[in-house]
DNA sequence: AACAAAAATACAATCGTTTGTATTATAAAC
DNA sequence: GTTTATAATACAAACGATTGTATTTTTGTT
């Protein structure tokens, strides 16, 4: 019941293992006749290549590692799906690691993947990660790296990101067009590029409409349903705002919770726009205006980039994916 | 810049590679003194084990494969999360494969994982899968198998499933208690155990309340938002029902879409209960009564089972996880 | 001090591929 | 028909860890 190996095939056909290996790989150094003979025999004998042996000898495998903060987040699971869409037909496998936003776990994940001799590494950093010190091993070893969504700009690699600035800009502009003037900003971790850029886009739109930027209504770490709700209650009480652009849908949802609780509503009393197009944003009532990010596409691009990097050596460029504004009830006054 | 190997350490310390290997593995055959010496030197030299070499020699790896229909589905991504929660601290890695509900892809995934000499296999079958023929290779090779959520009962393995019957039973009973009498059933693929059991639970509750079972209001393959809406429109027009128990939240959402469109509402005119506790079910309006499945817990249990199977050899039992009914606006008449 | 028993380490084969180099077989050239 | 070029295959050494067996060293006993 032992597995059939290349050597077994070689013995049966009275050739050497090297010939079998080359034949199976389609190497032109072995004649067409033998190539076909070997392939047929391999199939007949039920040969299954041992990826471990191959990886050991070659020093690299057909497995690609991906590291993300959380797999059970709509955005990231869609990215994975997009990655596999490309990797699968190309013959690569995917090993998934989660950091749970912890730098320590991120380091461990990188180490594990390196020990497994992955052919390439896809990474979206944890919110704790401040620099690329822990990536030096990856860079030095020559294993190609592709960063996506949350990237460290200091680290040399392909970077695939959303145009967060543009998305936030359009969303904020939309609110301005609808006549809202005092628009709050709810952001996340202010150290992440993602949120830095969303804030930039927000400010840019305000400036364009000559609306003064008021730092007292620009909030950070206000990205969950709970914190969004609390912030909204407070801002409404202070009568400081007439709308919110939230850098996440959850905090936008929280804002709407707050309005409902206070007997107010969107878009009549306050305009609300989120970011991410979470599945619930369309379903909730009022439905939530938001910015759609193309996660699947991001996954596709990251996968294409890693395959290219594997074949042609590490590269270094940034690719930006446009976002799309989706206007819904929460911000469209009739 | 070459990687440090066990042999390098051996040379430096003037011992043999076997001693180093055993020392690093904590084997008592090597003296405490050498063990500590080796470990220290390994650390000093920046030794990183080569998982491939180890896997080749041992014939198995510390990687566990998981096969699911779709990763970007809330339920499954939460299972993965739960699996990793257990696997991670135990030193196992996870390789994730998606079938997209295709049997052909499922076969390929199994082959790939077997070629990668995974230590164990976690599987939730595709909706196309009818039998376990393609699993014979796994069973024969002795690689432990754990099925979860969607399982083939004919195949010998650990099986971790939700108590779908119980969940459906409680949900239907709840509708009956609320005074609804003519309750439709919206199901999925009627060949999957999952839906067979939900239908069973539904019927059981009806029988208990002496409500006759009417096959004209028992619908299969009605599990998406669209099909749920269409079915609801049709049933309401025919005045056949006063409530729906849907085996999925999406079709329940569709049913509510239908009601809204016809100027009707839940729970006043029709009661609606879903299944799955999708994130949107709490957020939508009216909020949706549903049955919560503990995906994370299922993942935990599957992971524990696979580790146990790896250590103690393949096992064969079924573990059932209770579901929990969550009553919300869509079915609670005041 | 001699010997047995136990502990520690060394030796060597092995896992299944891959790949550079050497060798043999075939074809082409004169 | 010999020489040269080319195609096809064989040989053999890796890749890095693991593990059964053999050997050496240490410890204990009398």
């Amino acid at each position: 019941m032992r597995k059939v190996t290349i050597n077994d095939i070689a013995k049966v056909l009275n050739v050497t293992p090297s010939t079998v290996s080359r034949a199976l790989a389609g190497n032109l150094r072995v004649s067409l006749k033998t190539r076909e003979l070997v392939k047929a025999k391999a199939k007949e004998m039920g040969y299954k290549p041992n990826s471990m042996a191959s990886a050991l000898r070659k020093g690299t495998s057909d497995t690609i590692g991906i590291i993300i903060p959380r797999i059970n987040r709509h955005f990231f699971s869609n990215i994975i799906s997009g990655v596999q869409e490309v990797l699968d037909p190309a013959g690569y496998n995917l090993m998934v690691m989660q950091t749970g936003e912890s730098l320590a776990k991120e380091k461990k994940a990188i180490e594990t993947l390196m020990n497994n001799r992955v052919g390439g590494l896809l990474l979206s950093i944890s919110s704790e990660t401040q620099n690329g010190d822990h990536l030096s091993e990856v860079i030095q070893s020559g294993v190609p790296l592709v960063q996506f969504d949350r990237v460290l700009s200091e680290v040399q690699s392909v970077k695939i990101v959303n145009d967060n600035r543009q998305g936030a800009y359009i969303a904020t502009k939309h609110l301005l067009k609808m006549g809202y003037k005092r628009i709050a900003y709810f952001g996340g971790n202010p150290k992440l590029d993602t949120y830095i850029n969303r804030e930039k886009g927000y400010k840019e739109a305000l400036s364009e409409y000559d609306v003064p930027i008021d730092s007292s209504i620009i909030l950070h770490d206000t990205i969950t349903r709970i914190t969004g709700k609390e912030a909204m209650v407070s801002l409404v009480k202070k009568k400081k705002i007439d709308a919110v652009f939230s850098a996440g849908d959850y905090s936008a949802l929280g804002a709407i919770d707050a309005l409902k609780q206070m007997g107010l509503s969107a878009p009549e009393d306050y305009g609300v726009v989120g970011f991410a197009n979470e599945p619930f944003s369309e379903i909730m009532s009022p439905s939530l205006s938001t910015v759609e990010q193309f996660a699947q596409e991001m996954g596709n691009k990251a996968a294409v980039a890693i395959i290219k990097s594997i074949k042609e050596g590490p590269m270094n460029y940034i690719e930006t994916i446009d976002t799309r504004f989706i206007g819904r009830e929460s911000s469209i006054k009739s």
Side-chain angles (χ1 to χ4, degrees), chain A:
Chain A
M1 192 48 67
R2 228 185 78 270
K3 286 243 170 197
V4 179
T5 75
I6 246 177
N7 303 291
D8 300 330
I9 302 175
K11 255 175 224 154
V12 173
L13 292 178
N14 253 313
V15 296
T16 57
S18 55
T19 300
V20 175
S21 173
R22 290 195 169 99
L24 290 172
N27 191 320
L28 297 180
R29 235 172 87 175
V30 0
S31 69
L32 180 62
K33 210 184 81 195
T34 355
R35 256 182 287 156
E36 288 180 339
L37 191 70
V38 168
K39 282 182 185 166
K41 194 50 117 181
K43 191 162 195 179
E44 179 197 326
M45 296 174 69
Y47 169 73
K48 298 284 159 57
N50 184 324
S51 311
M52 300 296 112
S54 168
L56 171 60
R57 174 61 231 243
K58 296 210 280 198
T60 180
S61 72
D62 287 341
T63 295
I64 288 180
I66 186 167
I67 301 177
I68 51 173
R70 292 224 146 79
I71 200 171
N72 54 347
R73 203 120 89 197
H74 188 246
F75 179 63
F76 286 116
S77 63
N78 272 299
I79 287 182
I80 294 187
S81 188
V83 166
Q84 281 193 323
E85 228 170 74
V86 172
L87 250 38
D88 211 46
Y92 290 94
N93 310 122
L94 194 62
M95 203 169 228
V96 180
M97 301 274 146
Q98 304 186 70
T99 62
E101 307 287 10
S102 133
L103 175 57
K105 278 203 168 187
E106 186 169 306
K107 285 182 182 167
K108 214 184 132 203
I110 291 173
E111 200 172 309
T112 303
L113 293 173
M114 294 300 289
N115 292 353
N116 274 276
R117 301 296 183 272
V118 289
L121 197 57
L122 298 168
L123 172 67
S124 195
I125 57 171
S126 84
S127 54
E128 277 181 24
T129 308
Q130 308 271 5
N131 61 57
D133 293 352
H134 58 311
L135 293 173
S136 58
E137 191 201 340
V138 180
I139 309 283
Q140 285 182 6
S141 71
V143 171
L145 174 68
V146 169
Q147 298 187 77
F148 61 92
D149 190 47
R150 298 191 194 164
V151 304
L152 291 162
S153 37
E154 47 161 311
V155 175
Q156 297 249 329
S157 82
V158 177
K159 298 170 189 110
I160 317 273
V161 291
N162 280 317
D163 197 336
N164 287 302
R165 194 206 48 72
Q166 169 252 7
Y169 169 78
I170 301 182
T172 310
K173 201 163 151 181
H174 158 81
L175 283 168
L176 290 162
K177 273 191 195 155
M178 285 290 147
Y180 299 105
K181 292 246 151 58
R182 291 173 303 149
I183 304 171
Y185 167 82
F186 290 0
N189 181 338
K191 284 182 180 165
L192 285 179
D193 265 9
T194 312
Y195 296 111
I196 292 173
N197 287 323
R198 290 182 192 172
E199 190 176 336
K200 257 189 205 154
Y202 156 81
K203 287 179 176 168
E204 205 175 305
L206 292 187
S207 300
E208 201 177 306
Y209 276 65
D210 294 321
V211 174
I213 286 161
D214 175 357
S215 64
S216 74
I217 59 172
I218 295 183
L219 307 181
H220 300 296
D221 292 314
T222 305
I223 205 68
T224 65
R225 187 170 183 179
I226 306 277
T227 53
K229 181 176 175 185
E230 288 168 356
M232 191 66 177
V233 168
S234 159
L235 287 171
V236 166
K237 276 191 185 154
K238 290 186 196 149
K239 297 188 191 273
K240 289 206 125 183
I241 61 166
D242 60 6
V244 182
F245 163 61
S246 169
D249 281 347
Y250 284 94
S251 37
L253 169 61
I256 288 182
D257 286 342
L259 291 177
K260 284 186 184 165
Q261 184 183 291
M262 294 188 285
L264 299 167
S265 70
E268 294 78 10
D269 306 306
Y270 291 83
V272 178
V273 174
F275 204 113
N277 194 31
E278 294 285 347
F280 68 75
S281 64
E282 183 197 354
I283 290 164
M284 59 190 273
S285 178
S287 61
L288 181 66
S289 297
T290 190
V291 178
E292 182 175 10
Q293 335 178 60
F294 299 95
Q296 201 98 1
E297 188 185 339
M298 179 172 277
N300 291 160
K301 295 206 161 155
V304 167
I306 199 75
I307 292 178
K308 200 150 185 254
S309 302
I310 289 172
K311 297 206 166 136
E312 303 171 14
M315 314 200 242
N316 186 26
Y317 64 85
I318 301 187
E319 186 165 356
T320 305
I321 301 175
D322 274 359
T323 60
R324 186 170 69 101
F325 177 74
I326 302 177
R328 298 211 185 96
E329 295 166 356
S330 68
S331 69
I332 300 191
K333 287 190 191 169
S334 49

